[in-house]
Amino acid sequence: MEPVLEAKHVRKVYGSKGNVYTALANISLEIYEGEFVGIMGPSGAGKSTLLNVLSTIDQPTSGEVMINGRDLEDMDEQEMSLFRRNQLGFIFQDYNLLDTLSLRENIILPLALAKHSVAEIEEHLDFVADVFSIRPILDKYPTEVSGGQKQRTAASRAIIANPNLIFADEPTGALDSKSAADLLESFCSLNEERKSTILMVTHDAFAASFCKRILFITDGEIYTEIYRGSKTRKEFFQKILDILAKLGGNMNDII
């Protein structure tokens, strides 16, 4: 089986000459279709930098990143823009919703811009509205709903085009515990029912316990990885805490 995402010897260095900071030292990894993978590590370990490089938001200083067999370095700006729109989904801590549009309009915007038919748009909207349990609030505006509802709307917009790969950067960071659990349960449904491939950066062991595999990084390198396998989510949560403790994470990193 070919990986959906493959990184080979990826480095990311900031600065120059005597003032150099190595954010990613030597990262190689593979993500396969239908995986739900978490990236964890202490503050400053390079988690978000890695996600940005893997998701085309940033470029590596050296090394290769390939998505669906395509080398990102080979694409020009227009090709990259279309590739992102058609094949990738992005969910961030900030919702990035347009306050002048209803939640329905925010969600369908990517499909409307791509000139999909009304029937296609309605079919996709029905699916995401059910997955993220937001059908009753579709006609409300972002200023009229809670943070959790905004994040579920943002997630719906990210996956409405059925992307091959979904990137989530601290998606539960601004949510209360119930809203976070609701969002993560929706991610699990999406992963199991649609076989969506999800790569999520989180500092939160509770959020990470919903994943099937977790990569731990420290000092810009992969420290270890673990699989949930047949473990219960509670058992996996404890395993995550044990590894974070070894990495020297403070309390903000592990709760």
Side-chain angles (χ1 to χ4, degrees):
M1 184 190 299
E2 290 292 318
V4 175
L5 170 66
E6 185 175 12
K8 296 180 180 178
H9 307 296
V10 167
R11 296 180 72 247
K12 183 64 180 179
V13 178
Y14 296 101
S16 59
K17 296 182 180 177
N19 188 26
V20 172
Y21 170 66
T22 302
L24 301 176
N26 181 23
I27 298 282
S28 293
L29 58 84
E30 295 178 344
I31 308 294
Y32 289 89
E33 184 179 2
E35 285 201 288
F36 185 0
V37 180
I39 299 175
M40 300 198 77
S43 297
K47 301 186 294 292
S48 290
T49 301
L50 178 59
L51 191 79
N52 288 344
V53 167
L54 296 178
S55 66
T56 76
I57 292 173
D58 202 356
Q59 293 182 321
T61 304
S62 62
E64 288 182 320
V65 178
M66 301 183 73
I67 298 178
N68 292 328
R70 297 217 35 202
D71 190 336
L72 303 185
E73 283 289 307
D74 293 340
M75 298 186 209
D76 61 28
E77 193 171 324
Q78 185 176 5
E79 284 179 308
M80 181 63 76
S81 178
L82 286 172
F83 185 80
R84 286 192 191 106
R85 189 177 76 188
N86 295 331
Q87 301 203 37
L88 307 180
F90 300 90
I91 305 167
F92 301 104
Q93 187 171 332
D94 297 324
Y95 318 120
N96 296 319
L97 299 176
L98 299 174
D99 288 341
T100 55
L101 299 181
S102 68
L103 301 188
R104 179 192 305 274
E105 292 165 335
N106 268 282
I107 293 167
I108 68 173
L109 187 58
L111 296 186
L113 291 173
K115 296 182 169 56
H116 284 251
S117 70
V118 172
E120 282 182 302
I121 290 174
E122 287 299 322
E123 181 183 348
H124 286 281
L125 179 62
D126 281 344
F127 176 80
V128 299
D130 287 340
V131 168
F132 290 101
S133 303
I134 55 171
R135 189 178 294 279
I137 59 169
L138 285 176
D139 293 319
K140 292 184 179 293
Y141 286 80
T143 54
E144 300 175 318
V145 298
S146 69
Q149 290 169 327
K150 287 179 185 177
Q151 187 61 294
R152 280 184 276 148
T153 300
S156 298
R157 180 186 57 194
I159 65 103
I160 193 167
N162 194 18
N164 295 109
L165 189 54
I166 299 164
F167 295 98
D169 190 2
E170 300 284 5
T172 61
L175 303 182
D176 60 67
S177 58
K178 183 183 184 307
S179 297
D182 288 344
L183 180 68
L184 292 162
E185 291 285 4
S186 296
F187 281 179
C188 288
S189 296
L190 191 64
N191 175 248
E192 290 164 11
E193 293 172 20
R194 207 186 229 185
K195 304 303 178 189
S196 296
T197 308
I198 304 172
L199 184 61
M200 178 177 72
V201 162
T202 182
H203 70 279
D204 182 358
F206 173 76
S209 69
F210 285 79
C211 298
K212 294 178 179 176
R213 173 164 66 114
I214 300 175
L215 299 168
F216 294 87
I217 68 172
T218 184
D219 299 326
E221 296 186 88
I222 293 176
Y223 170 76
T224 191
E225 66 177 332
I226 58 172
Y227 289 81
R228 179 172 171 180
S230 61
K231 294 183 182 70
T232 65
R233 198 164 60 74
K234 184 176 180 181
E235 290 169 339
F236 198 42
F237 174 77
Q238 187 57 55
K239 179 67 174 175
I240 294 164
L241 291 180
D242 291 344
I243 292 178
L244 288 173
K246 289 179 184 176
L247 286 173
N250 60 34
M251 288 304 290
N252 289 330
D253 295 319
I254 64 174
I255 61 174

